[in-house]
Amino acid sequence: MSLPHAILTALLEKPSSGLELTRRFDKSIGYFWSATHQQIYRELGRLEREGAIRALPSQGATRGQKKEYEVLPAGRAELARWTAEPQDPKPLRDTLLLRLRAAAVVGAEGIQEELRRHLDLHRRQLAEYEEIERRDFPPEKDAVEDRLRHVVLRAGIDLETFWTRWLTRAIEELGETAGAG
Amino acid sequence: MSLPHAILTALLEKPSSGLELTRRFDKSIGYFWSATHQQIYRELGRLEREGAIRALPSQGATRGQKKEYEVLPAGRAELARWTAEPQDPKPLRDTLLLRLRAAAVVGAEGIQEELRRHLDLHRRQLAEYEEIERRDFPPEKDAVEDRLRHVVLRAGIDLETFWTRWLTRAIEELGETAGAG
DNA sequence: AAGCACTGTGCAACTAGTTGCATAAAGCGT
DNA sequence: ACGCTTTATGCAACTAGTTGCACAGTGCTT
């Protein structure tokens, strides 16, 4: 149950319409909590019904008309409650690892290219994060909110670094016994 | 659609009943693809209907009676196909990161303990993986299947190492500006 | 003013995963 | 023979996320 909270966070950062939120979920918040526009519209409706957010009065209510939302006190309180609540990390679920395990019983044909392809994707993502860090977090920005956001970005960077290293090593090590199965 | 493939892999490693699979999903394969017994039974039924697996003939078909399954050629072929198929890594979805981001707008009360708690959990998991590595992968084991499985375990170890380091650093850095928000 | 592309909102149906509970047989103590 | 615990299988209902598509207004182009 995190999507509503992701939306509340995004709306507190800046009141937005559904489409604007969708675009912001394609970067920034979406880097660690992705969502499609359908999920977002559905959730906006639910949050409005529950009194957590409301449409800014200026906007008309018809289709095809932009509708901006802002967070109400009840929504902010719920977000604060959820943020401080203990939640266990959810267990890892990764198909690439699962496929390597499967390759151990049905043969490793084709896995090598897949590892290389993933390495490339993770390198790109890493470069993107590092670019954002350079742009958004110069050393002089040091308010608490900046620190929190920076630490989150740091997680993204370190995670992609982990993947690139692990993939590099895996490719090397499995390459030594090439077309085996 | 990975659960059926996880089950096929587990069954190829060793024919098992639903409950045995459930136990094995609590460790080993479950470390990177978890599943509850209900998911497993449902999927076993589906795979049997589709002709990917079959119940070993010796077992009766009634409730409360153990029913062991083995993989049929069609199942093995499907697993091999799926293993070699290109699949993009799925985007990260992590509530702790989301909550840190939320803390930047609603205040960081309570987050510090949560970070410490997670650090502890990740340290335990890391220790568990390292124990398995010591036990199951002595240097002389070097067949291809062992290498593949070892590389997968290595991913678990490196991933937990990343989390412990990142959490340690985050706690330090946010601690400097303690009860802020 | 007819056609078209773009912006924006939204429903419906589907797939995957979770939670809670029901049922059946076997083993064991009394 | 009775109830209790353990092993084992399974259904039903729910929650979350995905996919495909429909519909409405705006503004540009010819």
Side-chain angles (χ1 to χ4, degrees), chain A residues 1 3 33 36-39 42 46 63-65:
Chain A
M1 269 247 314
L3 180 58
W33 202 274
T36 60
H37 72 109
Q38 291 86 346
Q39 274 180 280
R42 191 200 298 167
R46 203 175 294 167
R63 274 202 159 189
Q65 286 294 81

mmCIF file of all heavy atoms in Angstrom, chain A residues 1 3 33 36-39 42 46 63-65, chain D residues 15-26:
data_model
loop_
_atom_site.group_PDB
_atom_site.id
_atom_site.type_symbol
_atom_site.label_atom_id
_atom_site.label_comp_id
_atom_site.label_asym_id
_atom_site.label_seq_id
_atom_site.Cartn_x
_atom_site.Cartn_y
_atom_site.Cartn_z
ATOM 1 N N MET A 1 0.816 -1.215 0.000
ATOM 2 C CA MET A 1 0.000 0.000 0.000
ATOM 3 C C MET A 1 0.850 1.265 0.000
ATOM 4 O O MET A 1 0.747 2.109 0.877
ATOM 5 C CB MET A 1 -0.886 0.000 1.245
ATOM 6 C CG MET A 1 -2.233 -0.642 1.027
ATOM 7 S SD MET A 1 -3.500 0.607 1.140
ATOM 8 C CE MET A 1 -2.970 1.468 2.634
ATOM 9 N N LEU A 3 1.537 3.171 -3.120
ATOM 10 C CA LEU A 3 1.263 4.118 -4.192
ATOM 11 C C LEU A 3 0.557 5.379 -3.700
ATOM 12 O O LEU A 3 0.976 6.486 -4.042
ATOM 13 C CB LEU A 3 0.474 3.448 -5.321
ATOM 14 C CG LEU A 3 0.146 4.358 -6.492
ATOM 15 C CD1 LEU A 3 1.401 4.938 -7.116
ATOM 16 C CD2 LEU A 3 -0.664 3.625 -7.544
ATOM 17 N N TRP A 33 9.742 4.189 -7.208
ATOM 18 C CA TRP A 33 8.355 3.725 -7.133
ATOM 19 C C TRP A 33 7.633 4.092 -8.414
ATOM 20 O O TRP A 33 7.060 5.171 -8.523
ATOM 21 C CB TRP A 33 7.610 4.286 -5.922
ATOM 22 C CG TRP A 33 6.457 3.363 -5.632
ATOM 23 C CD1 TRP A 33 5.202 3.393 -6.189
ATOM 24 C CD2 TRP A 33 6.505 2.208 -4.806
ATOM 25 N NE1 TRP A 33 4.467 2.319 -5.750
ATOM 26 C CE2 TRP A 33 5.232 1.575 -4.894
ATOM 27 C CE3 TRP A 33 7.484 1.631 -4.008
ATOM 28 C CZ2 TRP A 33 4.944 0.407 -4.203
ATOM 29 C CZ3 TRP A 33 7.185 0.479 -3.312
ATOM 30 C CH2 TRP A 33 5.914 -0.122 -3.421
ATOM 31 N N THR A 36 1.919 3.658 -13.573
ATOM 32 C CA THR A 36 1.368 4.079 -14.855
ATOM 33 C C THR A 36 0.278 5.133 -14.611
ATOM 34 O O THR A 36 -0.186 5.305 -13.484
ATOM 35 C CB THR A 36 0.720 2.890 -15.585
ATOM 36 O OG1 THR A 36 -0.326 2.373 -14.752
ATOM 37 C CG2 THR A 36 1.741 1.804 -15.841
ATOM 38 N N HIS A 37 -0.139 5.814 -15.675
ATOM 39 C CA HIS A 37 -1.138 6.873 -15.490
ATOM 40 C C HIS A 37 -2.466 6.306 -14.999
ATOM 41 O O HIS A 37 -3.144 6.940 -14.198
ATOM 42 C CB HIS A 37 -1.310 7.699 -16.766
ATOM 43 C CG HIS A 37 -2.022 7.027 -17.890
ATOM 44 N ND1 HIS A 37 -3.282 7.371 -18.281
ATOM 45 C CD2 HIS A 37 -1.639 6.032 -18.705
ATOM 46 C CE1 HIS A 37 -3.638 6.610 -19.301
ATOM 47 N NE2 HIS A 37 -2.649 5.796 -19.581
ATOM 48 N N GLN A 38 -2.811 5.075 -15.415
ATOM 49 C CA GLN A 38 -4.071 4.493 -14.959
ATOM 50 C C GLN A 38 -4.081 4.251 -13.459
ATOM 51 O O GLN A 38 -5.066 4.524 -12.785
ATOM 52 C CB GLN A 38 -4.347 3.167 -15.680
ATOM 53 C CG GLN A 38 -4.658 3.318 -17.143
ATOM 54 C CD GLN A 38 -3.408 3.349 -17.985
ATOM 55 O OE1 GLN A 38 -2.319 3.513 -17.461
ATOM 56 N NE2 GLN A 38 -3.562 3.194 -19.280
ATOM 57 N N GLN A 39 -2.949 3.767 -12.953
ATOM 58 C CA GLN A 39 -2.851 3.572 -11.504
ATOM 59 C C GLN A 39 -3.023 4.905 -10.801
ATOM 60 O O GLN A 39 -3.679 5.012 -9.773
ATOM 61 C CB GLN A 39 -1.461 3.042 -11.146
ATOM 62 C CG GLN A 39 -1.284 1.554 -11.217
ATOM 63 C CD GLN A 39 0.143 1.190 -10.848
ATOM 64 O OE1 GLN A 39 1.035 1.315 -11.684
ATOM 65 N NE2 GLN A 39 0.369 0.758 -9.620
ATOM 66 N N ARG A 42 -6.675 6.323 -10.885
ATOM 67 C CA ARG A 42 -7.516 5.536 -10.001
ATOM 68 C C ARG A 42 -7.265 5.918 -8.538
ATOM 69 O O ARG A 42 -8.185 6.119 -7.760
ATOM 70 C CB ARG A 42 -7.225 4.048 -10.201
ATOM 71 C CG ARG A 42 -8.205 3.127 -9.536
ATOM 72 C CD ARG A 42 -7.630 1.741 -9.356
ATOM 73 N NE ARG A 42 -7.307 1.137 -10.650
ATOM 74 C CZ ARG A 42 -6.569 0.049 -10.799
ATOM 75 N NH1 ARG A 42 -6.067 -0.559 -9.745
ATOM 76 N NH2 ARG A 42 -6.310 -0.433 -11.990
ATOM 77 N N ARG A 46 -9.596 7.745 -5.536
ATOM 78 C CA ARG A 46 -9.779 7.136 -4.217
ATOM 79 C C ARG A 46 -9.371 8.117 -3.110
ATOM 80 O O ARG A 46 -10.100 8.302 -2.131
ATOM 81 C CB ARG A 46 -8.909 5.879 -4.149
ATOM 82 C CG ARG A 46 -9.350 4.856 -3.150
ATOM 83 C CD ARG A 46 -8.504 3.589 -3.246
ATOM 84 N NE ARG A 46 -8.677 2.882 -4.517
ATOM 85 C CZ ARG A 46 -7.877 1.903 -4.961
ATOM 86 N NH1 ARG A 46 -6.829 1.535 -4.257
ATOM 87 N NH2 ARG A 46 -8.119 1.316 -6.113
ATOM 88 N N ARG A 63 -14.335 15.844 -18.451
ATOM 89 C CA ARG A 63 -13.264 15.101 -19.116
ATOM 90 C C ARG A 63 -12.427 16.012 -20.007
ATOM 91 O O ARG A 63 -12.939 16.971 -20.559
ATOM 92 C CB ARG A 63 -13.873 14.010 -19.984
ATOM 93 C CG ARG A 63 -14.147 12.751 -19.225
ATOM 94 C CD ARG A 63 -14.211 11.595 -20.185
ATOM 95 N NE ARG A 63 -13.988 10.348 -19.469
ATOM 96 C CZ ARG A 63 -13.806 9.180 -20.068
ATOM 97 N NH1 ARG A 63 -13.822 9.101 -21.366
ATOM 98 N NH2 ARG A 63 -13.602 8.096 -19.371
ATOM 99 N N GLY A 64 -11.179 15.639 -20.151
ATOM 100 C CA GLY A 64 -10.306 16.386 -21.045
ATOM 101 C C GLY A 64 -9.904 17.742 -20.485
ATOM 102 O O GLY A 64 -9.164 18.489 -21.101
ATOM 103 N N GLN A 65 -10.425 18.056 -19.300
ATOM 104 C CA GLN A 65 -10.069 19.299 -18.616
ATOM 105 C C GLN A 65 -9.047 18.999 -17.522
ATOM 106 O O GLN A 65 -9.272 18.122 -16.699
ATOM 107 C CB GLN A 65 -11.298 19.911 -17.941
ATOM 108 C CG GLN A 65 -12.271 20.558 -18.871
ATOM 109 C CD GLN A 65 -11.711 21.791 -19.559
ATOM 110 O OE1 GLN A 65 -10.975 21.695 -20.546
ATOM 111 N NE2 GLN A 65 -12.039 22.958 -19.038
ATOM 112 P P DT D 15 -9.579 -5.625 -0.124
ATOM 113 O OP1 DT D 15 -9.702 -4.938 1.166
ATOM 114 O OP2 DT D 15 -10.440 -5.281 -1.285
ATOM 115 O "O5'" DT D 15 -8.070 -5.498 -0.621
ATOM 116 C "C5'" DT D 15 -7.020 -6.184 0.051
ATOM 117 C "C4'" DT D 15 -5.754 -5.991 -0.766
ATOM 118 O "O4'" DT D 15 -5.701 -6.943 -1.852
ATOM 119 C "C3'" DT D 15 -5.636 -4.600 -1.390
ATOM 120 O "O3'" DT D 15 -4.334 -4.148 -1.079
ATOM 121 C "C2'" DT D 15 -5.878 -4.851 -2.888
ATOM 122 C "C1'" DT D 15 -5.379 -6.286 -3.048
ATOM 123 N N1 DT D 15 -5.980 -7.105 -4.136
ATOM 124 C C2 DT D 15 -5.143 -7.873 -4.911
ATOM 125 O O2 DT D 15 -3.934 -7.892 -4.761
ATOM 126 N N3 DT D 15 -5.773 -8.630 -5.879
ATOM 127 C C4 DT D 15 -7.124 -8.692 -6.136
ATOM 128 O O4 DT D 15 -7.557 -9.410 -7.028
ATOM 129 C C5 DT D 15 -7.961 -7.862 -5.286
ATOM 130 C C7 DT D 15 -9.431 -7.849 -5.496
ATOM 131 C C6 DT D 15 -7.344 -7.120 -4.341
ATOM 132 P P DA D 16 -3.796 -2.713 -1.564
ATOM 133 O OP1 DA D 16 -2.892 -2.226 -0.508
ATOM 134 O OP2 DA D 16 -4.944 -1.898 -2.016
ATOM 135 O "O5'" DA D 16 -2.936 -3.103 -2.837
ATOM 136 C "C5'" DA D 16 -1.881 -4.042 -2.691
ATOM 137 C "C4'" DA D 16 -1.217 -4.216 -4.033
ATOM 138 O "O4'" DA D 16 -2.046 -5.020 -4.894
ATOM 139 C "C3'" DA D 16 -0.957 -2.905 -4.773
ATOM 140 O "O3'" DA D 16 0.417 -2.945 -5.120
ATOM 141 C "C2'" DA D 16 -1.901 -2.952 -5.981
ATOM 142 C "C1'" DA D 16 -2.077 -4.456 -6.196
ATOM 143 N N9 DA D 16 -3.347 -4.908 -6.765
ATOM 144 C C8 DA D 16 -4.613 -4.541 -6.401
ATOM 145 N N7 DA D 16 -5.557 -5.151 -7.087
ATOM 146 C C5 DA D 16 -4.868 -5.971 -7.952
ATOM 147 C C6 DA D 16 -5.292 -6.878 -8.942
ATOM 148 N N6 DA D 16 -6.571 -7.117 -9.238
ATOM 149 N N1 DA D 16 -4.339 -7.549 -9.637
ATOM 150 C C2 DA D 16 -3.048 -7.325 -9.337
ATOM 151 N N3 DA D 16 -2.528 -6.500 -8.427
ATOM 152 C C4 DA D 16 -3.496 -5.843 -7.762
ATOM 153 P P DG D 17 1.118 -1.804 -5.962
ATOM 154 O OP1 DG D 17 2.536 -1.816 -5.587
ATOM 155 O OP2 DG D 17 0.311 -0.588 -5.893
ATOM 156 O "O5'" DG D 17 0.997 -2.410 -7.425
ATOM 157 C "C5'" DG D 17 1.771 -3.549 -7.793
ATOM 158 C "C4'" DG D 17 1.476 -3.902 -9.230
ATOM 159 O "O4'" DG D 17 0.084 -4.240 -9.348
ATOM 160 C "C3'" DG D 17 1.728 -2.761 -10.221
ATOM 161 O "O3'" DG D 17 2.623 -3.258 -11.205
ATOM 162 C "C2'" DG D 17 0.344 -2.431 -10.763
ATOM 163 C "C1'" DG D 17 -0.389 -3.748 -10.585
ATOM 164 N N9 DG D 17 -1.846 -3.663 -10.476
ATOM 165 C C8 DG D 17 -2.592 -2.905 -9.605
ATOM 166 N N7 DG D 17 -3.883 -3.066 -9.763
ATOM 167 C C5 DG D 17 -3.991 -3.996 -10.797
ATOM 168 C C6 DG D 17 -5.138 -4.558 -11.405
ATOM 169 O O6 DG D 17 -6.326 -4.351 -11.149
ATOM 170 N N1 DG D 17 -4.792 -5.456 -12.417
ATOM 171 C C2 DG D 17 -3.503 -5.765 -12.786
ATOM 172 N N2 DG D 17 -3.364 -6.639 -13.779
ATOM 173 N N3 DG D 17 -2.426 -5.246 -12.216
ATOM 174 C C4 DG D 17 -2.741 -4.369 -11.239
ATOM 175 P P DT D 18 2.954 -2.436 -12.572
ATOM 176 O OP1 DT D 18 4.331 -2.768 -12.953
ATOM 177 O OP2 DT D 18 2.519 -1.038 -12.427
ATOM 178 O "O5'" DT D 18 1.988 -3.135 -13.638
ATOM 179 C "C5'" DT D 18 1.983 -4.550 -13.761
ATOM 180 C "C4'" DT D 18 1.268 -4.931 -15.050
ATOM 181 O "O4'" DT D 18 -0.157 -4.840 -14.850
ATOM 182 C "C3'" DT D 18 1.605 -4.029 -16.240
ATOM 183 O "O3'" DT D 18 1.911 -4.915 -17.320
ATOM 184 C "C2'" DT D 18 0.342 -3.175 -16.434
ATOM 185 C "C1'" DT D 18 -0.758 -4.078 -15.884
ATOM 186 N N1 DT D 18 -1.937 -3.419 -15.239
ATOM 187 C C2 DT D 18 -3.200 -3.807 -15.625
ATOM 188 O O2 DT D 18 -3.412 -4.636 -16.484
ATOM 189 N N3 DT D 18 -4.217 -3.177 -14.952
ATOM 190 C C4 DT D 18 -4.107 -2.226 -13.961
ATOM 191 O O4 DT D 18 -5.111 -1.738 -13.432
ATOM 192 C C5 DT D 18 -2.749 -1.864 -13.600
ATOM 193 C C7 DT D 18 -2.520 -0.844 -12.532
ATOM 194 C C6 DT D 18 -1.740 -2.471 -14.249
ATOM 195 P P DT D 19 2.238 -4.377 -18.806
ATOM 196 O OP1 DT D 19 3.063 -5.397 -19.456
ATOM 197 O OP2 DT D 19 2.714 -2.983 -18.681
ATOM 198 O "O5'" DT D 19 0.818 -4.365 -19.534
ATOM 199 C "C5'" DT D 19 -0.046 -5.478 -19.357
ATOM 200 C "C4'" DT D 19 -1.157 -5.415 -20.396
ATOM 201 O "O4'" DT D 19 -2.344 -4.863 -19.798
ATOM 202 C "C3'" DT D 19 -0.846 -4.566 -21.637
ATOM 203 O "O3'" DT D 19 -1.354 -5.260 -22.764
ATOM 204 C "C2'" DT D 19 -1.572 -3.246 -21.359
ATOM 205 C "C1'" DT D 19 -2.773 -3.718 -20.530
ATOM 206 N N1 DT D 19 -3.276 -2.765 -19.500
ATOM 207 C C2 DT D 19 -4.629 -2.752 -19.225
ATOM 208 O O2 DT D 19 -5.428 -3.482 -19.795
ATOM 209 N N3 DT D 19 -5.006 -1.869 -18.247
ATOM 210 C C4 DT D 19 -4.197 -1.009 -17.544
ATOM 211 O O4 DT D 19 -4.673 -0.261 -16.694
ATOM 212 C C5 DT D 19 -2.793 -1.069 -17.878
ATOM 213 C C7 DT D 19 -1.825 -0.175 -17.151
ATOM 214 C C6 DT D 19 -2.407 -1.930 -18.822
ATOM 215 P P DG D 20 -1.189 -4.629 -24.278
ATOM 216 O OP1 DG D 20 -0.767 -5.754 -25.149
ATOM 217 O OP2 DG D 20 -0.384 -3.395 -24.220
ATOM 218 O "O5'" DG D 20 -2.677 -4.243 -24.672
ATOM 219 C "C5'" DG D 20 -3.773 -4.949 -24.085
ATOM 220 C "C4'" DG D 20 -5.055 -4.242 -24.451
ATOM 221 O "O4'" DG D 20 -5.490 -3.415 -23.338
ATOM 222 C "C3'" DG D 20 -4.943 -3.311 -25.653
ATOM 223 O "O3'" DG D 20 -6.098 -3.486 -26.463
ATOM 224 C "C2'" DG D 20 -4.866 -1.929 -25.026
ATOM 225 C "C1'" DG D 20 -5.769 -2.112 -23.825
ATOM 226 N N9 DG D 20 -5.574 -1.163 -22.733
ATOM 227 C C8 DG D 20 -4.397 -0.616 -22.300
ATOM 228 N N7 DG D 20 -4.549 0.215 -21.290
ATOM 229 C C5 DG D 20 -5.917 0.220 -21.052
ATOM 230 C C6 DG D 20 -6.686 0.931 -20.097
ATOM 231 O O6 DG D 20 -6.299 1.729 -19.234
ATOM 232 N N1 DG D 20 -8.048 0.637 -20.214
ATOM 233 C C2 DG D 20 -8.598 -0.218 -21.121
ATOM 234 N N2 DG D 20 -9.919 -0.374 -21.086
ATOM 235 N N3 DG D 20 -7.888 -0.894 -22.026
ATOM 236 C C4 DG D 20 -6.564 -0.621 -21.939
ATOM 237 P P DC D 21 -6.270 -2.739 -27.912
ATOM 238 O OP1 DC D 21 -6.842 -3.752 -28.800
ATOM 239 O OP2 DC D 21 -5.042 -1.996 -28.265
ATOM 240 O "O5'" DC D 21 -7.411 -1.677 -27.596
ATOM 241 C "C5'" DC D 21 -8.578 -2.122 -26.889
ATOM 242 C "C4'" DC D 21 -9.237 -0.934 -26.233
ATOM 243 O "O4'" DC D 21 -8.365 -0.346 -25.262
ATOM 244 C "C3'" DC D 21 -9.587 0.195 -27.197
ATOM 245 O "O3'" DC D 21 -10.991 0.145 -27.396
ATOM 246 C "C2'" DC D 21 -9.129 1.461 -26.495
ATOM 247 C "C1'" DC D 21 -8.813 0.984 -25.080
ATOM 248 N N1 DC D 21 -7.754 1.753 -24.374
ATOM 249 C C2 DC D 21 -8.114 2.537 -23.276
ATOM 250 O O2 DC D 21 -9.287 2.586 -22.928
ATOM 251 N N3 DC D 21 -7.137 3.237 -22.615
ATOM 252 C C4 DC D 21 -5.868 3.149 -23.023
ATOM 253 N N4 DC D 21 -4.946 3.839 -22.349
ATOM 254 C C5 DC D 21 -5.481 2.351 -24.151
ATOM 255 C C6 DC D 21 -6.448 1.671 -24.791
ATOM 256 P P DA D 22 -11.687 1.130 -28.455
ATOM 257 O OP1 DA D 22 -12.717 0.314 -29.122
ATOM 258 O OP2 DA D 22 -10.660 1.843 -29.248
ATOM 259 O "O5'" DA D 22 -12.406 2.188 -27.509
ATOM 260 C "C5'" DA D 22 -13.130 1.734 -26.371
ATOM 261 C "C4'" DA D 22 -13.586 2.949 -25.584
ATOM 262 O "O4'" DA D 22 -12.467 3.492 -24.859
ATOM 263 C "C3'" DA D 22 -14.127 4.073 -26.458
ATOM 264 O "O3'" DA D 22 -15.333 4.513 -25.857
ATOM 265 C "C2'" DA D 22 -13.036 5.136 -26.423
ATOM 266 C "C1'" DA D 22 -12.415 4.897 -25.059
ATOM 267 N N9 DA D 22 -11.010 5.291 -24.917
ATOM 268 C C8 DA D 22 -9.956 4.920 -25.701
ATOM 269 N N7 DA D 22 -8.802 5.427 -25.310
ATOM 270 C C5 DA D 22 -9.126 6.187 -24.198
ATOM 271 C C6 DA D 22 -8.357 6.977 -23.327
ATOM 272 N N6 DA D 22 -7.037 7.130 -23.446
ATOM 273 N N1 DA D 22 -9.000 7.596 -22.315
ATOM 274 C C2 DA D 22 -10.319 7.435 -22.205
ATOM 275 N N3 DA D 22 -11.160 6.715 -22.952
ATOM 276 C C4 DA D 22 -10.490 6.110 -23.941
ATOM 277 P P DC D 23 -16.342 5.460 -26.621
ATOM 278 O OP1 DC D 23 -17.681 5.087 -26.129
ATOM 279 O OP2 DC D 23 -16.028 5.493 -28.069
ATOM 280 O "O5'" DC D 23 -15.971 6.870 -26.014
ATOM 281 C "C5'" DC D 23 -16.136 7.092 -24.609
ATOM 282 C "C4'" DC D 23 -15.475 8.391 -24.287
ATOM 283 O "O4'" DC D 23 -14.055 8.276 -24.439
ATOM 284 C "C3'" DC D 23 -15.905 9.543 -25.198
ATOM 285 O "O3'" DC D 23 -16.600 10.470 -24.398
ATOM 286 C "C2'" DC D 23 -14.600 10.100 -25.768
ATOM 287 C "C1'" DC D 23 -13.575 9.545 -24.787
ATOM 288 N N1 DC D 23 -12.176 9.378 -25.270
ATOM 289 C C2 DC D 23 -11.146 9.988 -24.532
ATOM 290 O O2 DC D 23 -11.452 10.666 -23.538
ATOM 291 N N3 DC D 23 -9.859 9.854 -24.948
ATOM 292 C C4 DC D 23 -9.578 9.126 -26.029
ATOM 293 N N4 DC D 23 -8.311 9.011 -26.384
ATOM 294 C C5 DC D 23 -10.610 8.486 -26.782
ATOM 295 C C6 DC D 23 -11.881 8.636 -26.370
ATOM 296 P P DA D 24 -17.447 11.670 -25.050
ATOM 297 O OP1 DA D 24 -18.727 11.700 -24.310
ATOM 298 O OP2 DA D 24 -17.427 11.571 -26.525
ATOM 299 O "O5'" DA D 24 -16.605 12.964 -24.643
ATOM 300 C "C5'" DA D 24 -16.323 13.222 -23.263
ATOM 301 C "C4'" DA D 24 -15.285 14.317 -23.208
ATOM 302 O "O4'" DA D 24 -14.017 13.787 -23.614
ATOM 303 C "C3'" DA D 24 -15.590 15.481 -24.145
ATOM 304 O "O3'" DA D 24 -15.561 16.653 -23.362
ATOM 305 C "C2'" DA D 24 -14.475 15.446 -25.178
ATOM 306 C "C1'" DA D 24 -13.364 14.740 -24.413
ATOM 307 N N9 DA D 24 -12.377 14.011 -25.212
ATOM 308 C C8 DA D 24 -12.608 13.000 -26.095
ATOM 309 N N7 DA D 24 -11.517 12.512 -26.644
ATOM 310 C C5 DA D 24 -10.507 13.260 -26.070
ATOM 311 C C6 DA D 24 -9.106 13.243 -26.230
ATOM 312 N N6 DA D 24 -8.474 12.394 -27.054
ATOM 313 N N1 DA D 24 -8.372 14.122 -25.517
ATOM 314 C C2 DA D 24 -9.011 14.954 -24.695
ATOM 315 N N3 DA D 24 -10.321 15.073 -24.445
ATOM 316 C C4 DA D 24 -11.021 14.183 -25.186
ATOM 317 P P DG D 25 -16.186 18.020 -23.887
ATOM 318 O OP1 DG D 25 -16.923 18.634 -22.766
ATOM 319 O OP2 DG D 25 -16.861 17.735 -25.179
ATOM 320 O "O5'" DG D 25 -14.903 18.927 -24.188
ATOM 321 C "C5'" DG D 25 -14.170 19.464 -23.090
ATOM 322 C "C4'" DG D 25 -12.787 19.786 -23.568
ATOM 323 O "O4'" DG D 25 -12.273 18.647 -24.301
ATOM 324 C "C3'" DG D 25 -12.689 20.978 -24.534
ATOM 325 O "O3'" DG D 25 -11.848 21.928 -23.946
ATOM 326 C "C2'" DG D 25 -12.110 20.379 -25.817
ATOM 327 C "C1'" DG D 25 -11.402 19.148 -25.291
ATOM 328 N N9 DG D 25 -11.166 18.099 -26.262
ATOM 329 C C8 DG D 25 -12.087 17.282 -26.864
ATOM 330 N N7 DG D 25 -11.552 16.411 -27.681
ATOM 331 C C5 DG D 25 -10.190 16.660 -27.607
ATOM 332 C C6 DG D 25 -9.112 16.026 -28.272
ATOM 333 O O6 DG D 25 -9.133 15.105 -29.074
ATOM 334 N N1 DG D 25 -7.878 16.597 -27.908
ATOM 335 C C2 DG D 25 -7.743 17.636 -27.016
ATOM 336 N N2 DG D 25 -6.504 18.062 -26.782
ATOM 337 N N3 DG D 25 -8.740 18.238 -26.381
ATOM 338 C C4 DG D 25 -9.931 17.696 -26.728
ATOM 339 P P DT D 26 -11.749 23.461 -24.550
ATOM 340 O OP1 DT D 26 -12.171 24.343 -23.464
ATOM 341 O OP2 DT D 26 -12.433 23.500 -25.861
ATOM 342 O "O5'" DT D 26 -10.181 23.706 -24.818
ATOM 343 C "C5'" DT D 26 -9.219 22.691 -24.586
ATOM 344 C "C4'" DT D 26 -7.993 22.978 -25.461
ATOM 345 O "O4'" DT D 26 -7.776 21.855 -26.367
ATOM 346 C "C3'" DT D 26 -8.065 24.208 -26.355
ATOM 347 O "O3'" DT D 26 -6.781 24.808 -26.415
ATOM 348 C "C2'" DT D 26 -8.507 23.637 -27.690
ATOM 349 C "C1'" DT D 26 -7.738 22.313 -27.688
ATOM 350 N N1 DT D 26 -8.287 21.224 -28.526
ATOM 351 C C2 DT D 26 -7.408 20.403 -29.209
ATOM 352 O O2 DT D 26 -6.206 20.543 -29.166
ATOM 353 N N3 DT D 26 -7.992 19.405 -29.948
ATOM 354 C C4 DT D 26 -9.349 19.148 -30.081
ATOM 355 O O4 DT D 26 -9.749 18.218 -30.775
ATOM 356 C C5 DT D 26 -10.217 20.041 -29.340
ATOM 357 C C7 DT D 26 -11.703 19.857 -29.415
ATOM 358 C C6 DT D 26 -9.650 21.024 -28.614
#
